[in-house]
């Protein structure tokens, strides 16, 4: 099964073409792009075109689309979700949404030399906050069971919870390493194979995808007016 994997939940624009074996084997990436520029709308579709040219396949060869649904800031996140939905509709293939933090955790857990134990994934939520989730990971396997999250809060608040979460390592955005008091390693953003791993069981089963529900984790800034302002003559 050939899967197009997309994610715009972090500052990194991720796109990849991934082969998913039917026998339960690990996905393999044919071609991938990762652009760090916060220009999701400008970078995503050119990256997709480059993938197809590099892999030597046609757009219609894709069997499914997987997209990270966050958590992530509204503007960037919706670019990936809307693009994935449009591609799926045009190609007549299913579109599966996965938690972007799960994709990072699965990539980290699959590293053969990774330390076994509870894993913290952190990404930038802006406004001096972080998106995070904690996982029970087993090094060298495809297993990364989410223990709690996804959540959004100030990194200082999260730092106070690390002992409670029994975290032995962290991956994601290294900008939070100092305030958390723990090294934050790679992967720093969702990878194509991690995104496909997060949807692998559903893809292999042929189950219908659930509706794409973005994980904003925040209420909208815009609010409906509660009443009309009185206008008086000067």
């Amino acid at each position: 099964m050939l899967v197009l994997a997309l994610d715009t939940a972090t500052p990194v624009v991720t796109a990849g073409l991934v082969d998913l074996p039917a026998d339960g084997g690990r996905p393999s990436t044919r071609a991938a792009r990762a652009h760090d520029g916060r220009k999701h709308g400008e970078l995503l579709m050119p990256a997709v075109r480059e993938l197809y040219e590099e892999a030597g396949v046609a757009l219609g060869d894709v069997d499914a689309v997987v997209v990270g649904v966050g958590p992530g800031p509204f503007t960037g996140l919706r670019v990936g979700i809307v693009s994935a939905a449009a591609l799926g509709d045009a190609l007549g293939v299913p579109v599966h949404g996965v938690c972007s933090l799960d994709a990072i955790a699965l990539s980290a857990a699959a590293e053969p030399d990774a330390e076994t134990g509870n894993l913290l994934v952190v990404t930038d939520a802006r406004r001096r906050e972080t998106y995070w989730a904690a996982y029970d990971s087993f090094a060298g396997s495809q297993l990364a069971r989410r223990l709690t999250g996804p959540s959004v809060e100030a990194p200082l608040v999260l730092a106070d919870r690390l002992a409670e979460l029994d975290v032995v390592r962290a991956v994601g955005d290294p900008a939070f390493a100092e305030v958390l008091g723990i090294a934050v390693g790679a992967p720093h953003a969702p990878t194509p194979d991690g995104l496909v791993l997060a949807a692998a069981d559903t893809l292999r089963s042929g189950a219908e995808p659930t509706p794409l529900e973005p994980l904003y984790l925040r209420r909208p800034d815009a609010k409906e007016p509660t009443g009309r302002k009185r206008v008086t003559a000067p």
Side-chain angles (χ1 to χ4, degrees), residues 2 17 30 51-62:
L2 182 61
L17 284 171
R30 287 198 199 183
L51 293 176
Y52 280 89
E53 293 174 2
E54 180 179 331
V57 298
L59 195 60
D61 293 335
V62 164

Side-chain angles (χ1 to χ4, degrees), residues 3-90:
V3 183
L4 175 63
L6 308 174
D7 189 274
T8 56
T10 74
V12 178
V13 177
T14 299
L17 284 171
V18 181
D19 287 301
L20 179 66
D23 60 3
R26 183 172 175 80
S28 60
T29 301
R30 287 198 199 183
R33 292 290 183 275
H35 297 294
D36 188 355
R38 298 182 185 269
K39 297 180 180 179
H40 302 83
E42 295 90 336
L43 295 173
L44 182 60
M45 292 312 298
V48 171
R49 288 194 293 269
E50 291 172 6
L51 293 176
Y52 280 89
E53 293 174 2
E54 180 179 331
V57 298
L59 195 60
D61 293 335
V62 164
D63 299 299
V65 179
V66 172
V67 61
V69 296
F74 177 81
T75 302
L77 183 57
R78 65 178 177 173
V79 170
I81 294 175
V82 170
S83 298
L87 285 167
D89 183 63

Side-chain angles (χ1 to χ4, degrees), residues 51-205:
L51 293 176
Y52 280 89
E53 293 174 2
E54 180 179 331
V57 298
L59 195 60
D61 293 335
V62 164
D63 299 299
V65 179
V66 172
V67 61
V69 296
F74 177 81
T75 302
L77 183 57
R78 65 178 177 173
V79 170
I81 294 175
V82 170
S83 298
L87 285 167
D89 183 63
L91 300 174
V93 299
V95 181
H96 298 271
V98 299
C99 174
S100 302
L101 302 183
D102 289 356
I104 298 175
L106 285 163
S107 294
E111 297 172 1
D113 58 347
E115 185 178 358
T116 300
N118 287 0
L119 171 72
L120 178 71
V121 178
V122 290
T123 60
D124 186 8
R126 303 182 188 176
R127 303 183 191 174
R128 300 181 182 179
E129 291 184 321
T130 180
Y131 295 120
W132 68 273
Y135 299 81
D136 184 3
S137 66
F138 297 85
S141 75
Q142 295 183 7
L143 178 62
R145 181 171 58 94
R146 196 193 312 159
L147 299 173
T148 185
S151 302
V152 58
E153 60 191 353
L156 280 174
V157 176
L158 176 58
D160 290 338
R161 297 190 59 186
L162 293 186
E164 166 198 337
L165 297 169
D166 197 22
V167 168
V168 299
R169 67 184 180 118
V171 296
D173 193 329
F176 295 105
E178 183 176 356
V179 67
L180 292 176
I182 185 173
V184 179
H188 303 307
T191 62
D193 63 321
L195 291 162
V196 174
L197 271 175
D201 290 343
T202 305
L203 288 166
R204 290 187 174 115
S205 71

